[in-house]
Amino acid sequence: MTVEIDHNLEEIRRFRPSPEFAAQSIAGPELAEAAAADRLGFWADQARELLTWSKPFTKTLDWSNPPFATWFEDGELNVAANCLDRHVENGLGDRVAIHWEGEPGDSRAITYAQLTDEVKRAANTLESLGVADGDRVAIYMPLVPEAIVAMLACARIGAIHSVVFGGFSSDSLASRIDDAQAKLVITADGGYRKGKVFPLKPTVDEAVAKTAGSVEHVLVVRRGENEVGWVADRDLWWHDSVATASNEHVAPAFGAEHPLFILYTSGTTGKPKGILHTSGGYLTQAAFTHKNVFDLHPERDVYWSTADVGWITGHTYVVYGPLANAATTVVYEGTPDSPHPGRWWEIIEKYGVTIFYAAPTAIRSFMKQGRAIPQSFNLRSLRLLGSVGEPINPEAWVWYRHVIGGGSIPVVDTWWQTETGAIMISALPGITDLKPGSAQTPIPGVSIDIVDDSGTPVDDTNGGLLVVTEPWPSMLRGIWGDPERFKETYWEKFGDKYFAGDGARRDEDGDIWLLGRVDDVMNVSGHRLSTTEIESSLVAHPYTAEAAVVGAADETTGQAVVAFVILKESQKAHAADVAATSEELRAHVARQIGAIARPRQVFIVPELPKTRSGKIMRRLLRDLAEGRQVGDTTTLADTSIMEVIEAQLVK
Ligand code: WTA
């Protein structure tokens, strides 16, 4: 059969930027024109314009030894001074850098002058502990200002930070400490989550005990006020050491390719990969995208990315991008629903947030709760919304724009990865006609293509594999300690093209639609079906709050579509008649996409298994759908969810 089904993502809605927004937009068409005329010259101009160099660079890109790139190699800069000192020198010392909000409601406003001061003290402390240029420092913290200070202090002295998300176990932390041979761990006694203090220091103690012995000191911020164990000679309080250190510290200049950080991310199997990023190129693309994709007017905007610094979004769009651009950013310690489900909207109202960047999974869970909660807050300060982390279903996109954005402001869907370091595909909000569900266009200076399995570009709209065809400034420089794995994972498949692991297609206008990880693309009776596409269809049904789809092995069709659906609060009554409800949803998908996409089964479930970073664990759902014993659940945010779902399936 050669019949191709229609894509559900064939969206017809278009949202043109309002004339008022377009008139004040930072980015215009000249960016793409300049990049098309001279790509490397364009990035060199951005690097010179957006950053302050201690020693100017003369070379832009060296790609003579692919896949190992260098950018701006003979230039020198200090990343922390670019985020701090130069703004103070430029008269912006009194501008608020961070509006920090603790989960219990305590708050701190920290100006650029104060943040610079604190980072200098921390830099002096780190140096006094023997941490030097090139040493690795593990940071295992709640989302408190000191986490950001710790990252910048490392950057200032040329130490390489490895932030490990505070939700990871002691085993995960230990393996990351060992892999990087970290000399220092920076942590806190505890932090606030869901109304309670969760202890961190005991996990660090456990982790360090399991390591091979690289850790010399543990620096501890007091936040939770919980009792902690203490190892004399190894442990120090932040308030005893950093607070009393000198606030004089001259930032040394480092080469543009000096390593800035390692961030571990899970691969398809085996141990996490330590993704390595360096200084000049990373900061250039972080600052460029933060400015242009979010239309940043630093003198008047209040920007908020809800990400934790444990993830790449927290690195690039909580810390480095916003601070390099002298933005005022909101940082919130806790969960979206503590102590009440309107907490995020309350924070937007409190600080007058103008630019808001969050993940589709959160947006869908707010959809589930209904619009009454956000509508009870004043969200009129918002003028731009962003999405990141997974494809955003058109229905969720439209809800986000209407209910959170008041119906008239742009929503940018930004595609990128830990490995890419910064945004690669996104609309530019002042000039792009927006399409719900599509990430749309490569950012100026980034070269994207969609190829088939042999690397040949596909020009029809059926889709293929997303590749980056030219090196980009913020690209990963490798996997820590494992150059072979770096080559094998990303470059071996297509030679000189970077293989992202995502499926994508182009529409008639050339806009890019992400179809999910290639391992999530199903093949049913020889037809390619995207999990995202069917999930979007399910979410578009009035019953559905959230949906996850997996391809389960099937004797007849190769794979079969199996769906797991959470009903909206207002539709919960339909759970009483599971058979009728599943049938209705199956028929709906068949109607929207085609009979080939009709799910074999639709299960109505109360929750979906998610990782701590909010990604749906389809692997576990596939186990259930294929009647297997559920596999490893250690990365789940809540391990009891699998039992709850399993119990539902048996009924
Ligand atoms: C997915 C997060 C569709 C994608 C910044 C990618 C997306 C992986 C989008 C990287 C998006 C991220 N649309 N898919 N806008 N953004 N992804 O490393 O599958 O945590 O490969 O980086 O998330 O996840 P990571």
Side-chain angles (χ1 to χ4, degrees):
M1 273 222 308
T2 54
V3 184
E4 285 293 338
I5 56 156
D6 284 343
H7 284 273
N8 175 45
L9 300 182
E10 217 64 78
E11 265 286 324
I12 45 157
R13 286 170 284 196
R14 299 282 181 282
F15 299 91
R16 179 152 292 177
S18 70
E20 301 77 51
F21 192 97
Q24 58 83 65
S25 163
I26 293 273
E30 70 287 347
L31 289 176
E33 285 159 18
D38 174 9
R39 198 179 81 90
L40 296 181
F42 167 80
W43 281 121
D45 287 348
Q46 295 304 327
R48 291 191 186 101
E49 220 174 90
L50 295 165
L51 307 185
T52 302
W53 295 81
S54 314
K55 177 175 166 241
F57 57 88
T58 62
K59 293 188 273 187
T60 300
L61 168 70
D62 183 348
W63 190 232
S64 59
N65 179 30
F68 300 95
T70 66
W71 284 84
F72 317 122
E73 194 194 347
D74 59 344
E76 288 180 3
L77 78 170
N78 184 289
V79 168
N82 267 274
C83 293
L84 301 166
D85 309 45
R86 65 168 174 155
H87 303 322
V88 178
E89 285 153 20
N90 290 337
L92 302 176
D94 290 338
R95 178 179 292 172
V96 172
I98 299 172
H99 279 298
W100 179 76
E101 176 86 7
E103 196 188 74
D106 50 336
S107 64
R108 286 161 67 185
I110 304 166
T111 65
Y112 272 95
Q114 291 166 336
L115 190 63
T116 305
D117 212 64
E118 183 78 355
V119 168
K120 287 179 178 176
R121 291 180 199 275
N124 280 322
T125 305
L126 263 51
E127 282 177 343
S128 74
L129 293 174
V131 179
D133 161 11
D135 286 343
R136 276 79 58 203
V137 174
I139 298 177
Y140 184 73
M141 299 270 275
L143 195 41
V144 291
E146 287 80 1
I148 297 170
V149 172
M151 292 165 76
L152 292 165
C154 289
R156 189 172 189 94
I157 65 170
I160 306 169
H161 60 70
S162 160
V163 183
V164 179
F165 177 60
F168 277 119
S169 65
S170 64
D171 281 340
S172 305
L173 177 59
S175 71
R176 286 159 171 77
I177 290 172
D178 272 340
D179 188 70
Q181 289 292 290
K183 217 171 167 176
L184 172 70
V185 180
I186 306 179
T187 189
D189 49 0
Y192 284 88
R193 239 186 113 71
K194 294 187 196 286
K196 290 201 281 279
V197 170
F198 71 98
L200 288 162
K201 175 69 165 49
T203 315
V204 171
D205 291 341
E206 258 176 63
V208 172
K210 290 175 196 161
T211 61
S214 62
V215 175
E216 294 170 9
H217 291 286
V218 176
L219 181 56
V220 189
V221 172
R222 189 149 71 194
R223 165 65 184 153
E225 311 270 345
N226 46 315
E227 286 280 318
V228 294
W230 207 251
V231 179
D233 301 332
R234 189 198 70 181
D235 299 352
L236 302 90
W237 284 112
W238 181 281
H239 60 262
D240 285 340
S241 49
V242 177
T244 57
S246 159
N247 65 352
E248 307 248 336
H249 186 274
V250 179
F254 296 103
E257 284 297 336
H258 191 81
L260 180 62
F261 65 85
I262 304 167
L263 183 59
Y264 287 86
T265 182
S266 40
T268 39
T269 53
K271 69 170 193 159
K273 302 174 280 198
I275 303 299
L276 177 69
H277 284 285
T278 60
S279 302
Y282 170 79
L283 199 63
T284 297
Q285 197 171 331
F288 173 79
T289 50
H290 182 257
K291 174 181 167 187
N292 291 291
V293 171
F294 298 119
D295 188 49
L296 182 79
H297 295 260
E299 66 292 349
R300 61 174 157 90
D301 275 316
V302 178
Y303 161 87
W304 182 20
S305 158
T306 60
D308 188 278
V309 292
W311 313 115
I312 191 68
T313 307
H315 283 62
T316 309
Y317 298 108
V318 174
V319 182
Y320 291 110
L323 296 179
N325 288 333
T328 295
T329 89
V330 172
V331 175
Y332 169 55
E333 177 186 32
T335 45
D337 49 1
S338 280
H340 60 80
R343 188 73 165 112
W344 273 11
W345 321 125
E346 180 182 67
I347 292 171
I348 291 176
E349 179 178 299
K350 175 171 176 186
Y351 294 103
V353 171
T354 57
I355 304 168
F356 181 65
Y357 192 31
T361 180
I363 297 158
R364 289 192 302 264
S365 73
F366 291 123
M367 281 175 80
K368 191 162 68 176
Q369 293 164 358
R371 59 178 65 203
I373 298 168
Q375 281 177 347
S376 65
F377 294 90
N378 180 352
L379 306 179
R380 281 191 297 276
S381 57
L382 289 170
R383 61 179 201 88
L384 177 71
L385 300 173
S387 171
V388 61
E390 50 180 318
I392 179 163
N393 326 70
E395 289 315 312
W397 193 103
V398 169
W399 187 91
Y400 195 26
R401 176 176 163 103
H402 281 265
V403 178
I404 306 306
S408 62
I409 69 174
V411 177
V412 288
D413 174 15
T414 62
W415 178 89
W416 60 295
Q417 308 176 298
T418 304
E419 292 88 339
T420 69
I423 294 170
M424 302 290 276
I425 306 176
S426 171
L428 292 178
I431 55 177
T432 313
D433 284 358
L434 300 169
K435 288 180 190 171
S438 169
Q440 302 200 276
T441 47
I443 66 154
V446 166
S447 311
I448 299 279
D449 210 344
I450 299 171
V451 300
D452 66 18
D453 220 38
S454 66
T456 311
V458 291
D459 55 10
D460 65 6
T461 55
N462 292 328
L465 304 173
L466 188 78
V467 291
V468 189
T469 57
E470 300 287 347
W472 63 101
S474 64
M475 67 193 278
L476 74 166
R477 298 301 196 263
I479 293 177
W480 184 257
D482 202 345
E484 276 316 304
R485 191 172 178 199
F486 170 57
K487 289 192 216 166
E488 215 177 273
T489 312
Y490 306 105
W491 304 94
E492 221 147 63
K493 195 168 172 68
F494 300 123
D496 57 350
K497 296 185 185 98
Y498 169 84
F499 172 51
D502 278 40
R505 70 176 184 93
R506 277 209 186 84
D507 66 19
E508 315 67 48
D509 305 326
D511 282 321
I512 297 169
W513 297 74
L514 278 307
L515 303 173
R517 298 294 300 190
V518 283
D519 28 20
D520 290 335
V521 173
M522 300 166 290
N523 193 317
V524 179
S525 304
H527 295 279
R528 179 181 288 172
L529 291 174
S530 147
T531 50
T532 315
E533 195 175 0
I534 298 175
E535 285 167 7
S536 285
S537 169
L538 287 165
V539 172
H541 189 281
Y543 289 178
T544 311
E546 202 166 351
V549 165
V550 297
D554 185 281
E555 262 178 28
T556 326
T557 56
Q559 281 188 310
V561 180
V562 176
F564 296 81
V565 167
I566 305 179
L567 299 180
K568 279 186 192 144
E569 223 38 74
S570 59
Q571 305 292 326
K572 281 275 154 79
H574 293 289
D577 191 346
V578 171
T581 305
S582 318
E583 187 43 48
E584 163 63 24
L585 292 170
R586 292 175 66 234
H588 165 80
V589 174
R591 269 199 305 274
Q592 273 223 318
I593 304 182
I596 186 73
R598 184 198 306 271
R600 186 181 72 187
Q601 289 154 299
V602 175
F603 294 110
I604 311 298
V605 294
E607 283 297 341
L608 289 169
K610 288 187 183 151
T611 62
R612 296 188 179 100
S613 63
K615 288 200 168 60
I616 293 170
M617 296 272 294
R618 289 197 177 70
R619 178 173 58 79
L620 299 182
L621 293 174
R622 207 171 295 129
D623 287 348
L624 284 181
E626 297 180 357
R628 264 194 308 280
Q629 193 80 36
V630 171
D632 184 13
T633 58
T634 48
T635 52
L636 273 184
D638 177 357
T639 44
S640 64
I641 283 176
M642 291 314 291
E643 286 157 31
V644 176
I645 297 177
E646 229 165 342
Q648 299 266 324
L649 300 195
V650 178
K651 265 198 240 159

